[in-house]
Amino acid sequence: MNIMQMFPLASLTSEQLMCLLPLFTISAGGLFSLLVGTNKSNGHGYAFIVSFAAVLYALIEGCSNLFVSDISLLQNTLVLNPFTRSLNLMIMCFALIAVVLTYGQDKKEGLLAEIYGLILFSCAGMMLMVSTSHLLFMFISLEIMSLAIYVMVAMRRSSRFSSEAGLKYFILGGLASALFLYGSALIFGSTGSFELSTIAHNVQMGQPSIIFYIGLGLVTVAMLFKVGAFPFHGWLPDVYQGAATNVTGYMGAGVKFTAFMAFAKISQHLVFNESVEGLHWFHSFLWFVAAASMIYGNVVAISQTEIKRMLAYSTIAHTGYLLLGLIVVRTGVEDTRSLIIYLFFYALSNLGVFALISLFEDKNQKDLNLEQMAGLGIKHPILGALFTIFLFSMAGIPLTSGFIGKYGLFSSAVSRGEVPLVVIAVLTSVVSVYYYLRVIVYLFMKESTGEMATLHRLKGPTVAAVISALATLQFGVFPKAVIHFVKMFAR
Amino acid sequence: MTNDLLVQCLAAFLFTVGMMVVLLRRDTIMVLMGIELLLNAANLSLVGFSNSSQMIEGQMQVFFVITIAAAESAIGLSILVNLYRNFGSIKTEIANTLKG
């Protein structure tokens, strides 16, 4: 294969340009907001306006050409069809909420104006990552996303916790990326391609060598690192606690969504390729990781007294539920429906709950203790009610969107015969109700003993929390719209 | 032993060494160098595979990986500077304020 075949130097057609426009807008908006962020008097404000406008414009642009014909660039390296475009839309929604959430919070925590640009850059990386099925392009977009996130985590520069969290995330994230790269190199060596469907085809043709299995194992471990499943979760609680709260919310939503969609793509092509011998080991491995994540996350979360750390452990449990959804993704994109719905609803309530926490935290505070939250719901009834909605949604209580997500995920797993794992999932989510409700008990039914957390009246986080709460309730009571939308594009 | 196999063995050896450095060393500069070594071991493996199978794809990708490794080390060093400002040292064991 020569170089002209690989990168045909033809220019893009106008149709292709239209489809890539959201991506261009996000990247250019990120650069431009870095530029205006240097303004001495009102850098934060300008950067906010530019990045907000860029994401909003990209979102409208993405909506308007959602169902135009499929586009594939660089020999199927970057595929833009209704499915990937809709995933991009969801990611842009998270980025939009994250930009709003950062406004106000940035000055309180002493974050630089560059944070808006970084949110947009990581959003571009996420959009590329869900649109590709080329292993090395996936690596590059994973790095575009992660490098921006490392900086965002370490951005509270005067806080010890933040720099420690940045260091831990950087070292373990770098290790995971290197594992991914070496794994894809080994897969390339044994099958002669980076393209997932070609790899799957070549694997079916001839019996794969041991190098293929080693490579696949390394890639799987790297993805489990990125999603934060049980044996590879070490970084997750520390990073959630040390990062500024708005960054935590964005990470929990965007990175998790992206990593899971990429992981589902890899696993459905390579791991659950039923015509290949020896891959049932990977199935059992993922089965145990899912069960262990659910049990470990929920049991450890019970004993936590700080809310961000508790939510971090509950995230590990949610990763377990999502791995259960991932195991049943076998052929085509239809199977990913329940996974996408769960991730979308989870991400929304995640953004909302961290927006509320950021309202009550002081500058450079490590975490919000449960004792400090006692009686807050009585003092601020509306914020208390919002808190309750998000926690109910995460626990999966009806009339909130979390219930719909969990119901869809578990029922699709049961219909594929994963009954034992679903039993574990249901039992552990009963456990999870205990620690979610305990926060609500502290908010409304405990008298304040020590000092109570003070409310910082910040516009951005309040707006973000209200939007997320409205979405959580709306999709919880009338879930039909989202389910219908997902059914329309995931086919 | 053929040349191709030799290259792959060297890559695997370098990857193992890099992994040991990342996991065992207590000095963050060394950890950073370990991550670079991991990425370069993967590069070597890619070049070796694309040489043995006569496909240019793998060699092309190495350029992208080198660029990313440079960006990653820049970010790593800036995180180290920030760590030194807050803790007064860059040993990994001093960064242990987050527990639970």
Side-chain angles (χ1 to χ4, degrees):
Chain A
M1 180 183 254
N2 66 26
I3 191 161
M4 281 304 282
Q5 281 171 325
M6 261 195 68
F7 292 110
L9 299 172
S11 58
L12 296 170
T13 64
S14 63
E15 211 178 12
Q16 289 169 332
L17 273 176
M18 280 306 282
C19 280
L20 286 173
L21 200 57
L23 202 62
F24 290 154
T25 315
I26 298 266
S27 320
L31 286 175
F32 195 52
S33 84
L34 284 187
L35 208 63
V36 297
T38 53
N39 185 304
K40 273 245 165 59
S41 55
N42 193 16
H44 286 83
Y46 292 141
F48 168 72
I49 292 167
V50 167
S51 51
F52 182 80
V55 182
L56 195 66
Y57 179 67
L59 202 59
I60 294 167
E61 200 56 52
C63 282
S64 67
N65 53 23
L66 190 55
F67 289 106
V68 296
S69 57
D70 297 3
I71 299 278
S72 71
L73 293 165
L74 300 176
Q75 300 183 343
N76 287 332
T77 302
L78 190 63
V79 181
L80 291 168
N81 52 25
F83 180 64
T84 55
R85 279 184 210 130
S86 315
L87 296 183
N88 283 348
L89 275 188
M90 289 178 177
I91 289 167
M92 283 188 270
C93 286
F94 305 149
L96 191 69
I97 297 179
V99 167
V100 174
L101 167 55
T102 309
Y103 185 66
Q105 171 79 356
D106 52 357
K107 288 220 175 114
K108 190 189 89 188
E109 292 285 359
L111 304 172
L112 300 173
E114 276 81 4
I115 189 149
Y116 294 105
L118 289 170
I119 291 176
L120 263 61
F121 291 144
S122 60
C123 174
M126 289 169 190
M127 287 162 70
L128 287 173
M129 186 147 178
V130 296
S131 313
T132 183
S133 57
H134 186 275
L135 276 177
L136 271 174
F137 198 74
M138 221 177 242
F139 169 76
I140 292 167
S141 43
L142 178 78
E143 286 293 279
I144 294 174
M145 173 182 86
S146 309
L147 291 180
I149 301 268
Y150 299 148
V151 181
M152 281 159 73
V153 168
M155 214 175 202
R156 287 201 288 184
R157 288 183 305 161
S158 56
S159 156
R160 286 186 150 207
F161 310 120
S162 188
S163 53
E164 181 187 339
L167 179 76
K168 284 180 176 167
Y169 194 29
F170 177 78
I171 292 175
L172 289 175
L175 190 64
S177 314
L179 287 177
F180 188 93
L181 183 66
Y182 193 52
S184 44
L186 292 181
I187 291 177
F188 170 70
S190 59
T191 60
S193 174
F194 287 119
E195 190 67 38
L196 284 176
S197 47
T198 319
I199 295 170
H201 182 253
N202 289 356
V203 166
Q204 276 169 16
M205 287 293 109
Q207 201 46 239
S209 59
I210 184 80
I211 292 177
F212 172 75
Y213 292 112
I214 297 173
L216 186 56
L218 289 177
V219 169
T220 312
V221 168
M223 291 317 286
L224 288 174
F225 250 115
K226 283 285 164 195
V227 298
F230 164 60
F232 315 104
H233 66 280
W235 55 275
L236 201 135
D238 293 349
V239 172
Y240 266 50
Q241 227 176 357
T245 311
N246 53 333
V247 177
T248 311
Y250 180 53
M251 250 178 70
V255 176
K256 182 143 289 200
F257 186 88
T258 315
F260 256 106
M261 291 329 293
F263 194 15
K265 208 174 269 171
I266 293 172
S267 73
Q268 100 183 35
H269 278 104
L270 303 184
V271 178
F272 299 124
N273 195 333
E274 271 148 1
S275 53
V276 185
E277 293 282 314
L279 286 176
H280 61 272
W281 285 104
F282 281 97
H283 178 263
S284 330
F285 175 62
L286 286 179
W287 197 99
F288 278 111
V289 169
S293 302
M294 290 172 203
I295 296 169
Y296 175 84
N298 281 318
V299 170
V300 177
I302 290 176
S303 60
Q304 300 301 320
T305 55
E306 295 168 319
I307 185 149
K308 270 160 84 178
R309 207 169 180 87
M310 189 205 88
L311 287 171
Y313 281 108
S314 91
T315 295
I316 298 173
H318 281 282
T319 302
Y321 306 144
L322 286 161
L323 282 174
L324 160 67
L326 187 108
I327 286 174
V328 300
V329 177
R330 291 292 159 85
T331 50
V333 290
E334 296 91 345
D335 290 355
T336 55
R337 279 176 194 163
S338 56
L339 195 65
I340 293 170
I341 293 174
Y342 189 98
L343 272 168
F344 183 62
F345 289 160
Y346 172 72
L348 280 179
S349 37
N350 198 58
L351 280 166
V353 80
F354 282 108
L356 282 178
I357 293 171
S358 70
L359 282 178
F360 288 109
E361 266 187 339
D362 295 331
K363 185 179 188 220
N364 283 351
Q365 193 177 353
K366 180 177 161 198
D367 210 330
L368 212 53
N369 211 309
L370 281 182
E371 296 292 335
Q372 284 179 302
M373 296 176 69
L376 276 184
I378 302 163
K379 202 174 164 196
H380 309 287
I382 297 173
L383 294 178
L386 293 183
F387 236 122
T388 313
I389 292 170
F390 295 131
L391 292 172
F392 273 7
S393 170
M394 286 188 164
I397 288 169
L399 292 185
T400 55
S401 60
F403 170 72
I404 308 292
K406 230 171 219 177
Y407 175 78
L409 200 68
F410 290 176
S411 65
S412 74
V414 167
S415 67
R416 291 302 177 94
E418 296 288 347
V419 178
L421 204 51
V422 173
V423 171
I424 298 175
V426 170
L427 288 179
T428 50
S429 60
V430 171
V431 175
S432 77
V433 173
Y434 166 74
Y435 58 80
Y436 287 126
L437 286 185
R438 194 179 51 169
V439 178
I440 297 169
V441 167
Y442 266 97
L443 280 175
F444 288 102
M445 294 164 204
K446 291 252 175 160
E447 290 292 312
S448 168
T449 48
E451 54 177 310
M452 208 191 250
T454 48
L455 174 67
H456 298 265
R457 295 187 184 280
L458 304 172
K459 284 190 200 110
T462 320
V463 173
V466 170
I467 294 172
S468 313
L470 287 179
T472 304
L473 276 184
Q474 161 77 24
F475 298 143
V477 182
F478 305 107
K480 205 89 186 241
V482 171
I483 292 173
H484 186 72
F485 179 66
V486 172
K487 266 190 186 151
M488 198 160 59
F489 69 73
R491 64 190 158 85
Chain B
M1 207 150 119
T2 61
N3 274 344
D4 290 334
L5 193 60
L6 204 66
V7 168
Q8 291 311 319
C9 287
L10 180 62
F13 172 71
L14 285 179
F15 195 80
T16 323
V17 171
M19 190 77 109
M20 301 287 270
V21 169
V22 171
L23 295 179
L24 298 180
R25 291 302 292 254
R26 291 275 168 267
D27 194 337
T28 4
I29 294 274
M30 290 305 283
V31 173
L32 218 69
M33 289 167 75
I35 291 175
E36 292 298 304
L37 198 56
L38 287 173
L39 291 175
N40 283 325
N43 279 347
L44 186 61
S45 166
L46 275 174
V47 173
F49 278 130
S50 60
N51 183 45
S52 62
S53 60
Q54 292 299 314
M55 277 189 294
I56 202 169
E57 260 181 311
Q59 300 196 22
M60 292 290 300
Q61 299 292 347
V62 170
F63 290 107
F64 291 100
V65 178
I66 290 172
T67 318
I68 283 173
E72 194 162 310
S73 60
I75 285 174
L77 284 173
S78 56
I79 287 177
L80 284 198
V81 171
N82 195 20
L83 189 81
Y84 185 77
R85 263 196 208 147
N86 281 316
F87 289 94
S89 163
I90 51 165
K91 299 279 178 208
T92 42
E93 62 261 25
I94 47 108
N96 61 355
T97 50
L98 296 166
K99 276 184 198 148

